[in-house]
Amino acid sequence: MSHPDCRLNLRPLGTPRGVSSVVGPHGVGASPGDKKSKNKSIRGKKKSIFETYMSKEDISEGLKRGTLIQGVLRINPKKFHEAFIPSPDGDRDIFIDGVVARNRALNGDLVVVRLLPEEQWKVIKPESNDKETEGAYELDLPEELCGSHLPQQSVKGYNDSPDVIIEAQFDDSDSEDGHGNTQNVLVDGVKKLSVCVHDKGKEDSDTPVTKDESTSMSQDPRALPEKSLQRSAKVVYILEKKHSRAATGFLKLLADKNSELFRKYALFSPSDHRVPRIYVPLKDCPQDFVTRPKDYANTLFICRIVDWKEDSNFALGQLAKSLGQAGEIEPETEGILTEYGVDFSDFSSEVLDCLPQGLPWTIPPEEFSKRRDLRKDCIFTIDPSTARDLDDALSCKPLADGNFEVGVHIADVSYFVPEGSPLDKVAAERATSVYLVQKVVPMLPRLLCEELCSLHPMTDKLTFSVIWTLTPEGKLKLAFTLDHETGLPQGCHIYEYRDSNKLVEEFMLLANMAVAHKTHRTFPERTLLRRHPPPQTKMLNDLVEFCEQMGLPMDFSSAGALNKSLTETFGDDKYSLARKEVLTNMCSRPMQMALYFCSGVLQDQTQFRHYALNVPLYTHFTSPIRRFADVLVHRLLAAALGYGELPDLEPEALQKQADHCNDRRMASKRVQELSTGLFFAILVKESGPLESEAMVLGVLNQAFDVLVLRYGVQKRVYCNALPLQSHHFQKVGKKPELTLVWEPEDTEQEPVQQVVTIFSLVEVVLQAETAALKYSALLKRPGTNGLLGLQNKEEPDAGGPEA
């Protein structure tokens, strides 16, 4: 039964980010934490569950002295009591054990922690392999290393360098998100620059990579070798609440009907287990919720946390909106966007008024005196027929000396986005377009994206162009077909990556490098660049040991060497390619994510490097329609060319904008993945069960992860969801093994044993679990055609147990 929004006494859903949508508790009644409770101390004061945050002064001093550590909190989506922050020295992550130790911080928040005494550190059991595969990472793979080539040599100093430096002995190169090696390209006499592309994302699509190292505590950890301990900490302050504080979920009545709380509050249970349960005032709930709660059992709501007191297990929140029925595409999509703070509202009239009003728009005469006229050249785009925002084009013409002039032409978006205008402000806040399966949430209005700036054939447009002379030698993703009427997924396929994509990618990378050098040379303190730090050493060392034991000849000396190893070690048949993807997945876990930064804020220029591309300077210039970072770079480039004014941003302000772009890029990436997961879950629900071969990519104590070959998705198979007599986990050196003993189908038969290791081929069945959008992977019994396994695996309730 569906209930319209008008039955709710709710405030409208405001813009998730950049506005003051989170209010104090006064507007929604007294906090449950303030009520009289059985949980009192002898003196009558409510007992605190969480520690009081330290003062700003003490935090500042502690960070300076090194007694406190800051980092972005990452909560394990599969084990919500486990959380981590990266270690500043690149070593094993710092572990934060339990809800109390997190001290009301949410996933993605920038927190400050204090290390616990060594006797409270986490112990890594020698036989445990959870650290290899446990999935504290939301975004599974950084696309920098997905089966593509990278330069193997280091690059020399660049203070006096040309705009693009790639030494002649380079064998290969790659994009941040490459899929497969490509043709060799010669740039200014330099051999074999080879790169790749990611669909319309083209040259770059990063994934923050995270890890989990699961273990158990021992009575006396000090008796164990030092390397088996993981530093543990507790949160003492939240520097920045980056989590949106919004969640989708379901309303329930409180369990204790006789309590005072029952008459004033309902319980909101978030779908995301990492978000706490939330008390919401009954006066904000649907009018008949208390008398007819079952009518709303499948209604998806959005709730915002407004407070979380020290003496309460649960947060206090405010219902923002009723989305509709769980399991339907649009309500689920709106929930995803809201949770991740994506502004999907229509552009205001104030914003739209910033654009030219008289259409068709023509180039003003004064622009012709400032720009090079390329209208007589043959300039073309390489895009799918469905593309509407064409922001890049290429050109190539022969020269009299036998060489070629090759150009990359990028739409001049910054011309239409005046600095400080309402349009500029909304674009800066959105920071990126967000690509869902069924639609796009644009960073800029459609008029600008699809008309004013889009490089349509036979129309005059403004661009920034990067042009080179070349010698004659010229030296994962799931797509859906949708029903046009219902919008439901009919089927899916692995996106085909073509040579034309790779051609575009090569030149986009070169253009980004060229602009990075030009802007940094002109404005060394105010350039927006993009860096990619090297892998985390501890995890990389563990991976090296594993590969050595498995007899895999992997060279980890550089990103290029690693990619070359991946390419040369495996063949071209589907099982070899699957093994390659599994190993690529493992190689990705030590990798860190690429970040925007201001050159004047980061003093150590060795940290400017881009590890995956193996270049000293890199930036984003080629997609200004969908990324605000590129708009900022365009403004810097215009100033460097004497065409425009230097943007009015001091280094610290530019760094703040860079940080925001990093945050929104990460959120956009996660939303895109969740959108794909949503559609695939609906496909499983409507068309399942789906059978496929799968390859094991990680083995844990009680479960194992598989790559489902037919659909390219990853899923965890739980032992307790299979009809097993027993299962046993062990590690042989660094190699994990899980032995499954199946219950016999006939009492006269012997039990069947199945040993699961990394690279094992297994048969799996994907099936819907419940009416909601969850699906599970079950293993088929070896040697049979029938599906054997329980229908459901018991999941923990949303929000986890009370602290």
Side-chain angles (χ1 to χ4, degrees):
M1 183 174 177
S2 177
H3 292 265
D5 287 353
C6 60
R7 300 191 65 181
L8 303 184
N9 178 24
L10 305 182
R11 293 168 176 81
L13 182 65
T15 301
R17 294 182 65 90
V19 298
S20 182
S21 59
V22 176
V23 298
H26 307 294
V28 291
S31 164
D34 293 331
K35 299 291 180 183
K36 292 181 180 179
S37 168
K38 297 176 183 178
N39 186 19
K40 287 184 179 180
S41 67
I42 296 175
R43 297 179 182 177
K45 185 179 179 182
K46 183 86 178 278
K47 180 181 176 183
S48 287
I49 296 167
F50 301 104
E51 284 192 10
T52 303
Y53 295 132
M54 294 175 62
S55 68
K56 290 183 180 179
E57 294 76 18
D58 289 345
I59 290 294
S60 179
E61 185 63 27
L63 290 173
K64 286 179 184 176
R65 293 202 315 264
T67 58
L68 301 177
I69 300 170
Q70 74 176 54
V72 174
L73 183 72
R74 190 180 70 254
I75 304 174
N76 188 338
K78 294 186 173 72
K79 292 185 177 181
F80 60 83
H81 60 279
E82 295 184 345
F84 306 85
I85 68 164
S87 175
D89 57 9
D91 202 348
R92 177 181 284 148
D93 285 340
I94 297 169
F95 179 54
I96 300 166
D97 187 14
V99 176
V100 172
R102 287 207 297 269
N103 203 359
R104 297 162 287 168
L106 299 184
N107 190 61
D109 285 353
L110 181 60
V111 299
V112 178
V113 304
R114 185 200 300 278
L115 290 179
L116 297 173
E118 188 171 326
E119 59 267 21
Q120 297 181 40
W121 290 3
K122 187 162 95 167
V123 180
I124 310 293
K125 291 197 297 187
E127 72 274 14
S128 171
N129 193 56
D130 288 4
K131 68 187 180 67
E132 299 277 351
T133 53
E134 181 49 66
Y137 45 94
E138 275 193 65
L139 311 177
D140 296 320
L141 284 176
E143 293 152 11
E144 285 86 348
L145 297 174
C146 293
S148 45
H149 293 290
L150 289 154
Q152 299 181 57
Q153 308 294 327
S154 61
V155 180
K156 297 176 182 177
Y158 50 89
N159 289 338
D160 303 315
S161 61
D163 285 342
V164 178
I165 308 178
I166 304 162
E167 293 185 345
Q169 64 266 40
F170 282 11
D171 287 330
D172 16 48
S173 174
D174 185 33
S175 69
E176 290 185 42
D177 68 331
H179 291 61
N181 62 329
T182 63
Q183 306 298 322
N184 295 323
V185 177
L186 179 75
V187 182
D188 291 321
V190 181
K191 294 181 183 175
K192 297 183 180 179
L193 171 70
S194 136
V195 290
C196 307
V197 62
H198 175 56
D199 193 16
K200 180 60 184 169
K202 295 188 179 167
E203 78 282 9
D204 33 46
S205 202
D206 310 295
T207 303
V209 178
T210 51
K211 307 109 345 248
D212 169 38
E213 305 182 353
S214 173
T215 63
S216 66
M217 302 297 285
S218 127
Q219 292 298 319
D220 189 2
R222 291 168 293 184
L224 295 170
E226 183 181 353
K227 67 176 182 179
S228 65
L229 291 179
Q230 183 175 20
R231 290 182 297 170
S232 300
K234 62 181 180 182
V235 174
V236 295
Y237 193 76
I238 302 177
L239 276 176
E240 187 175 352
K241 293 181 177 179
K242 293 194 173 185
H243 189 282
S244 67
R245 266 54 188 174
T248 59
F250 301 91
L251 277 179
K252 301 177 181 180
L253 290 174
L254 294 179
D256 185 359
K257 295 184 178 180
N258 298 318
S259 70
E260 185 181 351
L261 288 174
F262 183 86
R263 293 190 292 272
K264 292 189 176 180
Y265 293 96
L267 187 65
F268 179 82
S269 186
S271 302
D272 186 343
H273 299 205
R274 296 167 298 178
V275 180
R277 293 178 185 146
I278 305 168
Y279 288 120
V280 294
L282 282 176
K283 66 182 181 63
D284 283 355
C285 295
Q287 294 175 6
D288 58 349
F289 170 68
V290 175
T291 56
R292 304 177 61 89
K294 290 183 179 179
D295 288 358
Y296 297 89
N298 200 42
T299 302
L300 206 58
F301 292 91
I302 293 176
C303 182
R304 294 192 186 281
I305 293 175
V306 297
D307 196 13
W308 193 357
K309 294 191 175 297
E310 295 170 14
D311 58 4
S312 178
N313 289 313
F314 300 160
L316 178 66
Q318 200 172 22
L319 275 188
K321 191 174 185 181
S322 168
L323 292 174
Q325 293 299 291
E328 295 180 356
I329 289 175
E330 289 310 314
E332 296 279 357
T333 297
E334 184 173 343
I336 291 169
L337 292 170
T338 304
E339 283 190 36
Y340 283 85
V342 176
D343 180 2
F344 54 93
S345 61
D346 292 335
F347 291 99
S348 68
S349 57
E350 182 185 32
V351 167
L352 296 176
D353 286 345
C354 296
L355 297 173
Q357 301 302 303
L359 297 176
W361 177 81
T362 56
I363 299 174
E366 61 267 20
E367 289 299 316
F368 290 92
S369 62
K370 304 175 185 176
R371 299 173 180 261
R372 178 173 169 180
D373 192 345
L374 300 172
R375 290 177 295 174
K376 292 182 180 178
D377 291 358
C378 178
I379 299 178
F380 51 91
T381 63
I382 302 178
D383 282 289
S385 58
T386 54
R388 292 192 288 186
D389 51 345
L390 309 179
D391 54 9
D392 56 76
L394 300 173
S395 64
C396 180
K397 65 180 179 182
L399 301 176
D401 59 5
N403 291 329
F404 292 87
E405 184 181 88
V406 174
V408 169
H409 311 274
I410 306 298
D412 185 359
V413 175
S414 60
Y415 177 88
F416 297 97
V417 187
E419 189 177 357
S421 66
L423 177 58
D424 178 45
K425 291 176 182 176
V426 74
E429 180 59 38
R430 293 191 178 201
T432 181
S433 295
V434 179
Y435 291 85
L436 307 169
V437 170
Q438 77 277 33
K439 60 185 176 183
V440 178
V441 180
M443 180 182 78
L444 293 164
R446 289 181 61 177
L447 173 63
L448 189 151
C449 299
E450 299 176 13
E451 296 295 335
L452 297 172
C453 290
S454 194
L455 306 180
H456 295 298
M458 310 309 294
T459 58
D460 294 349
K461 293 294 169 68
L462 303 177
T463 69
F464 277 101
S465 298
V466 180
I467 298 172
W468 304 273
T469 299
L470 303 187
T471 65
E473 290 80 7
K475 11 221 186 118
L476 68 219
K477 167 175 174 175
L478 198 61
F480 292 88
T481 53
L482 304 182
D483 185 286
H484 287 293
E485 292 184 2
T486 66
L488 293 173
Q490 296 175 313
C492 65
H493 59 278
I494 305 298
Y495 180 78
E496 184 179 354
Y497 186 67
R498 299 191 175 104
D499 286 344
S500 58
N501 302 119
K502 302 170 187 175
L503 173 68
V504 174
E505 174 67 5
E506 303 208 8
F507 291 116
M508 298 303 120
L509 281 166
L510 286 174
N512 284 333
M513 294 178 208
V515 171
H517 282 275
K518 176 67 175 177
T519 55
H520 183 254
R521 198 161 50 233
T522 311
F523 308 116
E525 300 294 314
R526 291 197 190 183
T527 304
L528 184 71
L529 297 174
R530 187 161 179 80
R531 65 188 181 94
H532 183 218
Q536 301 195 37
T537 52
K538 174 64 175 69
M539 294 190 73
L540 191 60
N541 292 338
D542 287 347
L543 183 60
V544 169
E545 290 183 43
F546 171 82
C547 289
E548 288 175 352
Q549 184 181 351
M550 296 292 289
L552 296 168
M554 305 302 296
D555 184 351
F556 290 92
S557 60
S558 70
L562 173 57
N563 275 270
K564 187 174 184 182
S565 299
L566 285 166
T567 300
E568 294 179 350
T569 300
F570 301 100
D572 290 331
D573 62 282
K574 70 174 182 177
Y575 299 118
S576 294
L577 292 174
R579 284 167 61 90
K580 178 182 176 183
E581 185 164 350
V582 166
L583 190 57
T584 299
N585 180 295
M586 298 175 68
C587 291
S588 75
R589 292 186 188 127
M591 300 299 166
Q592 303 190 66
M593 62 181 177
L595 297 166
Y596 298 114
F597 71 101
C598 173
S599 57
V601 171
L602 190 61
Q603 300 304 317
D604 183 2
Q605 290 200 4
T606 61
Q607 295 185 39
F608 286 21
R609 291 190 61 83
H610 196 294
Y611 172 81
L613 295 174
N614 200 13
V615 294
L617 291 178
Y618 189 68
T619 194
H620 275 170
F621 156 76
T622 53
S623 294
I625 286 178
R626 64 184 182 92
R627 292 188 306 227
F628 191 72
D630 302 54
V631 175
L632 292 171
V633 170
H634 275 222
R635 290 172 179 166
L636 288 164
L637 181 60
L641 296 172
Y643 166 69
E645 295 292 325
L646 181 63
D648 186 22
L649 283 175
E650 293 298 321
E652 290 75 15
L654 185 56
Q655 181 61 47
K656 187 174 182 180
Q657 184 64 56
D659 291 338
H660 182 67
C661 288
N662 291 329
D663 293 341
R664 299 320 303 155
R665 185 176 179 85
M666 189 190 307
S668 170
K669 181 68 177 174
R670 182 59 178 149
V671 165
Q672 183 176 332
E673 291 175 340
L674 289 171
S675 176
T676 300
L678 167 66
F679 274 76
F680 189 72
I682 290 175
L683 183 68
V684 173
K685 180 182 174 184
E686 299 294 328
S687 307
L690 305 176
E691 298 188 13
S692 174
E693 284 185 304
M695 184 167 282
V696 177
L697 56 80
V699 180
L700 297 90
N701 299 353
Q702 309 284 336
F704 55 94
D705 293 329
V706 295
L707 171 67
V708 185
L709 302 187
R710 182 175 299 164
Y711 304 106
V713 298
Q714 296 179 28
K715 198 66 181 169
R716 178 159 295 175
V717 179
Y718 292 93
C719 292
N720 68 355
L722 303 174
L724 303 177
Q725 278 190 352
S726 63
H727 58 274
H728 173 66
F729 176 87
Q730 66 176 359
K731 284 189 75 175
V732 182
K734 290 287 180 181
K735 180 182 178 183
E737 291 184 355
L738 190 60
T739 302
L740 310 179
V741 182
W742 291 81
E743 291 178 351
E745 294 181 274
D746 191 314
T747 54
E748 297 180 359
Q749 293 178 335
E750 290 292 316
V752 176
Q753 284 200 5
Q754 183 178 12
V755 179
V756 175
T757 64
I758 293 174
F759 299 133
S760 291
L761 268 177
V762 295
E763 291 279 333
V764 297
V765 177
L766 304 177
Q767 64 179 31
E769 283 191 351
T770 62
L773 292 178
K774 287 185 179 179
Y775 67 96
S776 58
L778 296 174
L779 198 62
K780 291 177 70 174
R781 184 192 298 270
T784 69
N785 291 322
L787 166 63
L788 291 173
L790 306 179
Q791 288 298 308
N792 295 295
K793 176 193 171 293
E794 186 176 345
E795 293 278 357
D797 194 10
E802 295 187 14

